[in-house]
Amino acid sequence: MSQQEGTAGSSPGRGLSTGDLARVSVFAALIAVLGLPGALNVFGNAVPITLQTFGVMLAGAILGTWRAGLAIAVLLALVAAGLPLLA
């Protein structure tokens, strides 16, 4: 394969493909939705457990380190913009 052909779904010389951006945005939305039920106090612990931690671990396992980190960065940018997405 020549250097100009590239793989399916990616353009040569660019960072992320459209599919990668879609996956990142879907996982950022998934992490935000998993925070909607709120915090769970298990066994009366002082530190509550949220489902958002599960979303972060799921993103890391499915997307890989760079794309999962980008999904979390997108979520944190939305929180910094003022959206109430954290539990």
Side-chain angles (χ1 to χ4, degrees), residues 3-4 6-7 22 24-25 31 33 59 64 66 74-75 77 79 83-85 87:
Q3 219 174 9
Q4 292 184 352
T7 60
V24 165
S25 62
I31 294 169
V33 167
W66 290 104
V74 166
L75 178 71
V79 169
L83 295 174
L85 298 176

Side-chain angles (χ1 to χ4, degrees), residues 28-57:
L30 177 71
I31 294 169
V33 167
L34 286 174
L36 291 178
L40 305 170
N41 289 326
V42 180
F43 303 119
N45 288 339
V47 179
I49 297 173
T50 64
L51 292 176
Q52 284 181 329
T53 55
F54 172 70
V56 170
M57 291 185 286

